[in-house]
Amino acid sequence: MLKKTITLSEAARFHARPAAMIVETANRFESMICLEGDGTIADCKRPLSLMRTRIPVSGTIVIVAEGSDEQEALAAIETLLCTMYWR
């Protein structure tokens, strides 16, 4: 299992379009990929799960990947999130 903490902009919210982009990226991998933020855990392969994620005021979230291609999966989600919401 790999974990990476990243800081996003305070305005980051996973509404329909960003959630769909994350799901599309996550579905390319076999690994389980989750986002943890402010007491919530979201499955990156389920759009409604992502849209319910609360991002703390600091904008810090943790990407968790576990599986055969976890390193590539974590890197892809990190790149996507940082492209969409980098501070």
Side-chain angles (χ1 to χ4, degrees):
M1 177 186 325
L2 297 177
K3 290 185 176 190
K4 174 101 185 221
T5 301
I6 61 173
T7 301
L8 306 175
S9 70
E10 293 178 21
R13 293 292 177 260
F14 299 127
H15 51 83
R17 187 164 187 228
M21 293 170 67
I22 293 168
V23 169
E24 181 181 333
T25 301
N27 281 329
R28 297 191 330 228
F29 302 97
E30 290 181 24
S31 294
M32 178 275 310
I33 311 164
C34 293
L35 298 179
E36 299 176 1
D38 200 27
T40 61
I41 298 174
D43 181 343
C44 287
K45 296 183 180 185
R46 300 182 65 205
L48 290 177
S49 179
L50 287 165
M51 292 183 345
R52 290 185 195 127
T53 302
R54 294 188 309 256
I55 300 171
V57 174
S58 68
T60 301
I61 62 170
V62 179
I63 307 167
V64 180
E66 183 173 11
S68 60
D69 53 0
E70 63 190 18
Q71 197 163 21
E72 296 85 3
L74 189 139
I77 296 297
E78 177 185 12
T79 299
L80 179 62
L81 290 173
C82 289
T83 300
M84 291 190 300
Y85 298 112
W86 189 254
R87 242 182 210 212

